[in-house]
Amino acid sequence: MNKTELVEAVAEKSGLTKKDAEKAISAVLDTVVDTLSKGDKVQLVGFGTFETRVHKERTNVNPVTKQKQIIPETTVPAFKPGKAFKDAVK
């Protein structure tokens, strides 16, 4: 399912127009991104938690040249599904 299909499904289930559903979905996604960029997490009970995780700095070896490379610490977004979500997908 892509964003257009999601907008159509939300509009159909909620009774909103497609334009209003798209605004609502965009607002939710923008809010999640803004919150994660500040280092906070978004917890939706029954659905899951959006959070950031830090990958520590590590050393890698190039298999061709055998040179060691340092991969810097990075912060990445992560999603942990809630129990109800996991049970529904089973």
Side-chain angles (χ1 to χ4, degrees):
M1 175 180 280
N2 61 30
K3 188 174 179 181
T4 303
E5 293 167 340
L6 179 62
V7 167
E8 290 173 4
V10 169
E12 185 178 312
K13 285 189 177 192
S14 67
L16 296 171
T17 64
K18 288 182 185 179
K19 190 173 187 178
D20 288 340
E22 184 175 5
K23 283 181 184 178
I25 290 170
S26 293
V28 169
L29 296 177
D30 289 344
T31 303
V32 169
V33 170
D34 290 344
T35 303
L36 292 180
S37 68
K38 293 176 186 173
D40 295 331
K41 64 181 176 179
V42 177
Q43 187 173 14
L44 304 172
V45 177
F47 183 72
T49 303
F50 295 92
E51 60 189 359
T52 57
R53 295 186 182 147
V54 176
H55 289 188
K56 295 181 183 178
E57 183 179 282
R58 60 192 190 276
T59 304
N60 188 26
V61 178
N62 184 328
V64 176
T65 64
K66 307 295 186 208
Q67 279 187 318
K68 290 186 178 184
Q69 299 170 329
I70 296 177
I71 300 172
E73 182 177 279
T74 58
T75 302
V76 296
F79 175 74
K80 181 180 177 186
K83 184 179 182 329
F85 183 41
K86 285 192 271 189
D87 290 344
V89 172
K90 280 185 183 178

